[in-house]
Each structure stands twice: as structure tokens, then as C-alpha cells.
């Protein structure tokens, strides 16, 4: 089992920045991919980006590319999401997910991940 805990959310103004963290514990050696998703009230869970655990290769949703950056600290079992130039439309609960296997065509879908954190709220005021 893997446990994930997100932190770093909060209230920011339009144009501000936040850095979210996702700390893993348990059987973290089994993780192949870690991804970030977000979900606004009444909306479906949306893919933000992902990073491969061993190689550090990143992929982002088109709407986040250029503003959001994912990185990792292998020794600390932690993944980060740096968010810049935030907009009110970025308001959502942000979730960290971990997958035991990289499955092509599934890493942009929440169904491709085996473990999830509790989420952290990000609110961007206008």
C-alpha cells in the first residue's frame, strides 16, 4: 500500500503562485508514475500533469502547459506542482495520484492510478 498526502494549497489572487507538495509513504518503491489532477465543484476530475518516477519525464495538459511545472525529490518520496500565473478557473481541489505501472494511453486518466491523496484546496480570487 502507498499513502499520499498533499499540502500547500490556499487562497491567492489572480496572477499569484503556489507550490503544492505530495508526500508518499509505504511501498513507494513500487511507484512508476505520479500524476496531478484537479476537480472543481460540479466538474469532472481533470488531468493536470504527470511525472515518471525513475526518469523524471513530464507531460502536461495543454491548458496547464507553460504555467505549471512538476518535479520530484526521490530521496524524500515527494512530488511537487509549481503553479504560476494562477487564474480563477484554476480554483479546485488538487489531488496527487500514484501508479504502479506506466500504461500507455492511461496516464492522463484518473483510472490509470492506483493510489490517491486526500486533496488540497486551491482558491484563486478575481
Amino acid at each position: 500500500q502507498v499513502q499520499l498526502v498533499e499540502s500547500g494549497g490556499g487562497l491567492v489572487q489572480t496572477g499569484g503562485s503556489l507550490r503544492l507538495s505530495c508526500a508518499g509513504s509505504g511501498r513507494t518503491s513500487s511507484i512508476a508514475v505520479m500524476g496531478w489532477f484537479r476537480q472543481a465543484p460540479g466538474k469532472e476530475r481533470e488531468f493536470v500533469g504527470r511525472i515518471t518516477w525513475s526518469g523524471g519525464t513530464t507531460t502536461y495538459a495543454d491548458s496547464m502547459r507553460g504555467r505549471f511545472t512538476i518535479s520530484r525529490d526521490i530521496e524524500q518520496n515527494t512530488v511537487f506542482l509549481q503553479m504560476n500565473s494562477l487564474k480563477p478557473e484554476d480554483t479546485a481541489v488538487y489531488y496527487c495520484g500514484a501508479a504502479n505501472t506506466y500504461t500507455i494511453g492511461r496516464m492522463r486518466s484518473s483510472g490509470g492510478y492506483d493510489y490517491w491523496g486526500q486533496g488540497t484546496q486551491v482558491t484563486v480570487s478575481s
Side-chain angles (χ1 to χ4, degrees):
Q1 292 292 320
V2 173
Q3 294 80 45
L4 304 173
V5 179
E6 302 96 337
S7 62
L11 174 63
V12 298
Q13 294 181 329
T14 297
S17 298
L18 283 174
R19 191 189 195 196
L20 307 183
S21 298
C22 175
S25 61
R27 295 176 57 86
T28 55
S29 61
S30 69
I31 296 174
V33 183
M34 297 191 71
W36 286 97
F37 291 75
R38 68 185 186 184
Q39 188 166 21
K43 303 294 184 180
E44 296 181 344
R45 187 164 296 192
E46 178 185 22
F47 173 74
V48 174
R50 59 81 173 159
I51 187 168
T52 60
W53 191 244
S54 60
T57 302
T58 55
T59 298
Y60 303 94
D62 291 342
S63 60
M64 289 79 167
R65 187 180 300 276
R67 297 190 299 124
F68 293 4
T69 302
I70 298 174
S71 60
R72 79 207 194 284
D73 187 329
I74 295 177
E75 294 184 357
Q76 296 297 319
N77 295 315
T78 301
V79 172
F80 305 96
L81 177 64
Q82 178 68 47
M83 304 185 294
N84 300 322
S85 301
L86 285 164
K87 308 171 182 179
E89 63 197 70
D90 295 318
T91 296
V93 177
Y94 284 72
Y95 297 92
C96 177
N100 291 323
T101 303
Y102 183 98
T103 304
I104 190 167
R106 294 287 292 164
M107 296 296 95
R108 288 176 177 262
S109 172
S110 61
Y113 294 81
D114 302 295
Y115 313 100
W116 294 95
Q118 84 290 344
T120 185
Q121 177 72 49
V122 172
T123 302
V124 185
S125 62
S126 60

